[in-house]
C-alpha cells in the first residue's frame, strides 16, 4: 500500500497541524520537503500538485488535497481600546477578504473599554460589513430566484 505524500515545510504551522493529525491517527506518510525560504512552492513542479502554490499539500494516489484561499479564515484579535474602523489588521484582512465573510474578529480587554464605546464600535463594524455584503447577497438571491423560475 502506498503511503500518503505530504508536501510541506516544517516551519509551516498548517503542516504541523497535519503532522499531529497523522501521528495521532496512526496515518503513515512520506514527508516531501518543500522549502518556503527558497520559494520552492512557486515552482512549476509544485504548481502541478497545488495550483494555489500553498503548503501543505497532501497526495494519496490520484487524490490531492490542499488549502484553497476561499477556505481560509482570517482571525483578528483586537483590543477593545482601539478604533476598529482604522485598525491595521482589519485593513489587511479587507485586502484579501473583500466581502468580510471569512474574517473573524475576537475582541480582548473589553473591561478596559469606556462604557458604551465597545458596543458603538461593534455596531460600526457590523454596519460596514452589512453595507459591503448586502449587494452581493441580494444578487445571489435574485440569481437563485431567476434560476428557480426558469
Amino acid at each position: 500500500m502506498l503511503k500518503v505524500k505530504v508536501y510541506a515545510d516544517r516551519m509551516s504551522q498548517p503542516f504541523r497541524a497535519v503532522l499531529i493529525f497523522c501521528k495521532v491517527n496512526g496515518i503513515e506518510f512520506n514527508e516531501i520537503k518543500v522549502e518556503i525560504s527558497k520559494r520552492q512552492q512557486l515552482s512549476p513542479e509544485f504548481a502541478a500538485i497545488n495550483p494555489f502554490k500553498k503548503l501543505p499539500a497532501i497526495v494519496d494516489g490520484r487524490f490531492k488535497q490542499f488549502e484553497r484561499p476561499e477556505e481560509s479564515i482570517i482571525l483578528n484579535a483586537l483590543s477593545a481600546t482601539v478604533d476598529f474602523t482604522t485598525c491595521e489588521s482589519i485593513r489587511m484582512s479587507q485586502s484579501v477578504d473583500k466581502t468580510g465573510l471569512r474574517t473573524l474578529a475576537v475582541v480582548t480587554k473589553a473591561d478596559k473599554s469606556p462604557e458604551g464605546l465597545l458596543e458603538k464600535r461593534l455596531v460600526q463594524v457590523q454596519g460596514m460589513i452589512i453595507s459591503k455584503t448586502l449587494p452581493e447577497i441580494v444578487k445571489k438571491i435574485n440569481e437563485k430566484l431567476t434560476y428557480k423560475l426558469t
Side-chain angles (χ1 to χ4, degrees), residues 34-55:
V34 179
E35 292 186 56
I36 294 172
S37 63
K38 294 182 180 177
R39 301 174 59 91
Q40 291 176 340
Q41 79 278 15
L42 303 178
S43 71
E45 294 82 17
F46 186 72
I49 295 159
N50 180 352
F52 297 105
K53 302 176 183 177
K54 303 279 185 196
L55 293 173

Side-chain angles (χ1 to χ4, degrees), residues 32-108:
I32 299 168
K33 191 174 185 180
V34 179
E35 292 186 56
I36 294 172
S37 63
K38 294 182 180 177
R39 301 174 59 91
Q40 291 176 340
Q41 79 278 15
L42 303 178
S43 71
E45 294 82 17
F46 186 72
I49 295 159
N50 180 352
F52 297 105
K53 302 176 183 177
K54 303 279 185 196
L55 293 173
I58 303 167
V59 178
D60 186 9
R62 295 186 324 189
F63 174 78
K64 296 178 184 178
Q65 178 65 40
F66 43 82
E67 182 179 344
R68 292 162 180 82
E70 64 273 7
E71 294 173 343
S72 302
I73 294 182
I74 301 162
L75 176 63
N76 272 303
L78 306 166
S79 169
T81 60
V82 301
D83 182 1
F84 299 168
T85 59
T86 61
C87 186
E88 179 65 20
S89 67
I90 294 288
R91 280 201 303 271
M92 290 170 65
S93 298
Q94 289 172 334
S95 70
V96 294
D97 180 19
K98 305 291 186 206
T99 64
L101 296 175
R102 297 183 298 119
T103 301
L104 177 65
V106 176
V107 180
T108 63

Side-chain angles (χ1 to χ4, degrees), residues 85-141:
T85 59
T86 61
C87 186
E88 179 65 20
S89 67
I90 294 288
R91 280 201 303 271
M92 290 170 65
S93 298
Q94 289 172 334
S95 70
V96 294
D97 180 19
K98 305 291 186 206
T99 64
L101 296 175
R102 297 183 298 119
T103 301
L104 177 65
V106 176
V107 180
T108 63
K109 302 180 184 173
D111 59 322
K112 305 282 186 203
S113 179
E115 184 86 23
L117 185 59
L118 178 58
E119 293 84 359
K120 180 181 175 188
R121 287 182 180 156
L122 290 175
V123 168
Q124 287 174 332
V125 171
Q126 286 175 333
M128 275 185 356
I129 292 169
I130 290 169
S131 68
K132 285 184 177 182
T133 59
L134 190 57
E136 185 64 24
I137 292 168
V138 170
K139 178 182 168 197
K140 286 181 180 180
I141 290 170

